[in-house]
Amino acid sequence: MNNPATAISPPAGIGDHKPANQAVLDWVHEVELLTQPENIFWCDGSERENDFLISESLKQEVLTKLNQKRAPRSYLHRSNPNDVARVEQFTFICTPTKAEAGPTNNWSEPGETYSKLDGLLKGAMRGRTMFVVPYIMGPPDSPLTKIGFEITDSKYVVLSMRIMTRMGEIAVKRLGSDPKAEWNRGVHSLLDVNPERRFICHFPQDNAIISVGSGYGGNVLLSKKCLALRIGSYLARKQGWLAEHMLILGVESPEGKKHYVAAAFPSACGKTNFAMLIPPKHFAGWKVTTVGDDIAWMQIRDGRLWAVNPENGYFGVVPGTSYKSNPNAMKSIERDTLYTNVALTDDGDMWWEGKDGPPPKHAIDWRGNDWTPDSKEKAAHPNSRFATPMRNNPVLDPHVEDGDGVPISAIIFGGRRSDTMPLVFQAFDWEHGTYVGSTMASETTAAAAGAVGKVRRDPMAMLPFCGYNIGDYFRHWLETGKRLTNPPLIFHVNWFRKSADGKFLWPGFGDNMRVLKWIIDRCEGRVGATESPIGHIPRMQDLDLDELGGVTPNQMRELLNVSAEEWQKEVSDHAKFFESLGGVVPDELEKQRKNLAGRFKS
Ligand code: GTP
Ligand code: SPV
Ligand code: MN
């Protein structure tokens, strides 16, 4: 088994870029005394540093070089097979009181948790190099942008952070020498990559994160789910903005009119794909561009919501990605990409389930074992991922670096629902939309350890990512609505409804443009809908379905159908969910629920 933690000794000029800020130096020294690394590597984010870390990682077999003709500057990493996804049961919000973390988070007392983690971290980096990774989240000139430092003993983390964040000198410069400046302290150690010693702990009051025992994605790239969402959402409420698990896309009509929309779908439910959508031929002249594929930070200006993408790269689901389903993602990952847990072909290329073309006759699977098309095991892990710089995206939105962000015309919620949820509906207003978001549900996926395919409530796709009491989070949404004079319209979509024989009714991917077009037309006030108990639903004639192959009018009716029977069960599930939250749900949302139930009775 490769060990991403083995020490390295860099030549002069690499790894010695110490920042001037005394608060950072003191903190690093403290962690050094505790973890006792062999040496400290101060990252500057330079090309030279990256080349050095890649060559060391190849030597130590932390990375495998891919066929450089097919995938220039791209590498494969295999994680420990016990460590392939986020671990929600070992993720903690450590606030002084349990009530601050609320009913949906695992809580643990900060003092005790620090002691427990100190015990685990004691001497944990002996024989290892301790990397100090400075980074910023957000465009360099945005008022929302945050500084973070991540200490880690994993080269894989350093290489990933350089793709996923604006890393190195840019953060050191921005921080400057003020010892009182605000920045996030993140400590990560692989320890012995043992699930029994795996904890992802957040200390919102201290703007601090400690993650131990994992080497995988959302558990260890502390910028992402830990800072940009859990700590981010906590700061957002305090400071009056929103940190959300949302993609941000631009959509431009043939006349040149542009709208931006943000969409919250749970993990592995289609954000990256939607953010890079290529409209079908029939929509000639329409163009979709990507601002972000996973996280949106949104602030109020002139009564509108404006969004920035805090990230610098995409950490995307690999299986199912193909030139057919998502050509822009395929073009993005043709080079400069760090793959985790995909299969390796005999000619140094990659393979995964759902890639274009026939499977290879032989490959090495994600665990490092021989694989053939007859194997029972999957070649790539269902949660295998790519990390690729957003600059590689052929449809990157030109305003991605704008510090003020892009104005949001519509917010879309959605999940994986085999039944009940129609293809699309529009909420009546912001408060109803907040209710729709707060009660959304989705079938679980491989993005988190645990059962797959189980319907669970996942408010605003933030269940695993809200860093404080979910009742206060709902209240923050309601308060935000009151401050918006020009609020985005709110919608709900479901690409995943199935027929009685278990097949997806909707072709999805590029054809989701048909739904997006209706949403934009609603924003422009130029298309009709019918009023149903759950919201405004397009009639068949309100959707542009020309040249949509493979969907019969009957299937279309099924896709748009609101079944009173299914919805009675749905509304009673909403009630059970709210009840399970133990009295934190705002009255406005309880009232929305009663009104919804009432609309089905009358
Ligand atoms: P995270 O990175 O975990 O937050 O996931 P995500 O929300 O970005 O999901 P992503 O776009 O990576 O899609 C996850 C899986 O859903 C992939 O296997 C896709 O192929 C599949 N998928 C995405 N969009 C559609 C769609 O419109 N229809 C269907 N049937 N599948 C889709
Ligand atoms: C998700 O699970 O929502 C992801 C992948 O985006 S991870 O970064 O691992 O959280
Ligand atoms: Mn995500």
Side-chain angles (χ1 to χ4, degrees):
M1 184 77 215
N2 66 64
N3 182 357
T6 309
I8 52 171
S9 20
I14 291 185
D16 53 9
H17 198 79
K18 237 184 192 181
N21 192 296
Q22 196 57 43
V24 172
L25 297 174
D26 290 347
W27 168 71
V28 170
H29 188 57
E30 226 174 84
V31 179
E32 180 193 7
L33 289 178
L34 177 66
T35 60
Q36 299 168 27
E38 186 161 311
N39 53 5
I40 302 183
F41 188 113
W42 303 87
C43 298
D44 65 5
S46 65
E47 204 69 48
R48 195 169 157 233
E49 169 183 285
N50 198 53
D51 290 346
F52 173 71
L53 290 176
I54 287 172
S55 74
E56 292 297 300
S57 302
L58 289 170
K59 267 189 237 160
Q60 295 182 0
E61 296 179 6
V62 171
L63 296 183
T64 302
K65 198 175 208 161
L66 294 166
N67 185 323
Q68 295 295 296
K69 278 207 194 88
R70 304 246 175 97
R73 297 176 301 284
S74 298
Y75 303 90
L76 166 67
H77 173 72
R78 295 193 189 101
S79 75
N80 190 312
N82 78 27
D83 186 31
V84 294
R86 284 184 294 100
V87 283
E88 295 178 2
Q89 67 277 35
F90 304 125
T91 299
F92 291 86
I93 302 296
C94 309
T95 42
T97 66
K98 187 168 175 4
E100 285 161 276
T104 55
N105 281 311
N106 299 312
W107 172 78
S108 71
E109 200 276 322
E112 279 170 26
T113 312
Y114 278 126
S115 305
K116 180 176 87 178
L117 293 167
D118 278 1
L120 291 168
L121 284 167
K122 199 166 173 206
M125 296 193 192
R126 276 189 201 132
R128 301 181 180 186
T129 295
M130 177 169 115
F131 298 92
V132 183
V133 182
Y135 64 93
I136 61 170
M137 294 303 279
D141 63 349
S142 173
L144 288 177
T145 292
K146 305 281 179 224
I147 303 171
F149 277 77
E150 176 166 354
I151 288 177
T152 178
D153 53 14
S154 161
K155 292 169 209 69
Y156 168 76
V157 168
V158 180
L159 294 169
S160 302
M161 287 294 282
R162 186 166 186 270
I163 297 172
M164 295 303 298
T165 72
R166 295 164 176 90
M167 188 263 249
E169 184 57 18
I170 188 170
V172 171
K173 274 219 182 95
R174 191 184 176 96
L175 179 67
S177 55
D178 177 5
K180 292 211 168 63
E182 184 195 272
W183 51 280
N184 179 270
R185 291 156 164 72
V187 177
H188 165 248
S189 173
L190 291 157
L191 305 184
D192 56 350
V193 197
N194 184 330
E196 283 169 26
R197 286 181 283 280
R198 185 168 294 157
F199 301 104
I200 324 298
C201 300
H202 306 72
F203 303 86
Q205 273 84 354
D206 301 338
N207 199 359
I209 305 158
I210 301 178
S211 164
V212 295
S214 170
Y216 191 82
N219 298 330
V220 299
L221 309 178
L222 301 185
S223 56
K224 193 172 174 62
K225 298 298 153 95
C226 300
L227 171 55
L229 288 180
R230 298 197 191 95
I231 301 278
S233 62
Y234 169 89
L235 293 174
R237 183 172 72 115
K238 258 188 23 187
Q239 300 166 356
W241 50 283
L242 295 171
E244 300 297 332
H245 190 200
M246 291 181 182
L247 68 94
I248 310 159
L249 64 79
V251 50
E252 194 176 329
S253 71
E255 300 77 45
K257 175 109 204 252
K258 192 160 182 183
H259 285 276
Y260 288 94
V261 313
F265 309 156
S267 301
C269 290
K271 287 183 299 302
T272 302
N273 278 270
F274 195 44
M276 297 181 176
L277 177 157
I278 296 182
K281 274 204 191 71
H282 175 66
F283 286 78
W286 286 85
K287 200 174 167 214
V288 170
T289 48
T290 317
V291 179
D293 83 322
D294 197 49
I295 297 175
W297 282 356
M298 300 190 282
Q299 60 180 331
I300 301 173
R301 215 177 52 250
D302 306 330
R304 298 191 76 175
L305 264 188
W306 295 73
V308 299
N309 169 15
E311 300 190 280
N312 191 49
Y314 309 133
F315 187 62
V317 175
V318 175
T321 308
S322 67
Y323 282 101
K324 189 160 168 276
S325 64
N326 191 349
N328 286 324
M330 289 302 285
K331 284 180 197 147
S332 305
I333 63 179
E334 269 169 6
R335 57 202 146 89
D336 317 310
T337 300
L338 190 45
Y339 289 88
T340 304
N341 293 342
V342 298
L344 180 67
T345 64
D346 294 347
D347 56 354
D349 206 352
M350 304 131 286
W351 174 255
W352 55 79
E353 280 69 21
K355 199 181 182 190
D356 308 87
K361 291 202 171 61
H362 175 262
I364 305 293
D365 73 11
W366 68 274
R367 295 171 197 260
N369 298 328
D370 284 311
W371 182 92
T372 69
D374 297 330
S375 300
K376 283 197 186 68
E377 308 278 339
K378 288 205 179 335
H381 187 275
N383 192 38
S384 51
R385 296 265 167 176
F386 57 76
T388 201
M390 68 176 180
R391 297 269 149 246
N392 278 11
N393 180 357
V395 295
L396 188 67
D397 191 88
H399 295 288
V400 72
E401 294 285 344
D402 284 12
D404 286 338
V406 296
I408 298 299
S409 302
I411 287 177
I412 308 174
F413 296 116
R416 266 177 203 270
R417 294 295 299 272
S418 302
D419 49 42
T420 313
M421 283 292 172
L423 181 61
V424 59
F425 66 91
Q426 181 192 344
F428 295 118
D429 54 28
W430 181 275
E431 191 178 291
H432 179 234
T434 302
Y435 175 79
V436 170
S438 71
T439 54
M440 71 187 247
S442 192
E443 288 147 23
T444 49
T445 66
V452 168
K454 237 182 91 211
V455 174
R456 73 164 182 183
R457 297 291 140 191
D458 187 349
M460 283 84 170
M462 284 287 279
L463 181 74
F465 307 122
C466 181
Y468 62 100
N469 190 307
I470 199 81
D472 293 332
Y473 171 78
F474 293 159
R475 220 159 273 121
H476 182 47
W477 263 80
L478 294 169
E479 292 305 317
T480 301
K482 287 182 200 144
R483 292 167 56 207
L484 293 168
T485 49
N486 191 359
L489 303 184
I490 299 182
F491 298 82
H492 186 284
V493 301
N494 178 21
W495 313 144
F496 301 95
R497 198 163 183 168
K498 287 180 179 166
S499 57
D501 61 358
K503 297 217 173 78
F504 289 126
L505 284 160
W506 181 247
F509 302 103
D511 282 312
N512 294 335
M513 181 66 212
R514 299 169 190 278
V515 174
L516 183 57
K517 165 91 170 18
W518 181 74
I519 288 172
I520 297 307
D521 286 345
R522 292 297 288 175
C523 295
E524 294 268 348
R526 64 181 175 209
V527 70
T530 178
E531 197 174 314
S532 86
I534 68 168
H536 305 287
I537 298 201
R539 297 159 301 178
M540 212 90 99
Q541 68 265 34
D542 297 322
L543 288 169
D544 187 339
L545 300 174
D546 287 0
E547 298 171 32
L548 172 65
V551 186
T552 64
N554 264 342
Q555 285 173 327
M556 219 39 239
R557 271 186 283 278
E558 216 176 320
L559 276 162
L560 295 172
N561 184 40
V562 176
S563 145
E565 197 185 314
E566 283 178 331
W567 270 89
Q568 248 127 27
K569 181 174 178 307
E570 178 72 14
V571 182
S572 87
D573 284 352
H574 294 180
K576 275 185 221 145
F577 175 57
F578 278 3
E579 224 167 274
S580 77
L581 299 179
V584 305
V585 176
D587 294 342
E588 291 93 324
L589 299 186
E590 291 286 7
K591 201 174 108 219
Q592 285 287 340
R593 186 184 56 75
K594 286 192 194 110
N595 292 348
L596 173 63
R599 289 196 293 273
F600 275 103
K601 282 198 191 93
S602 53

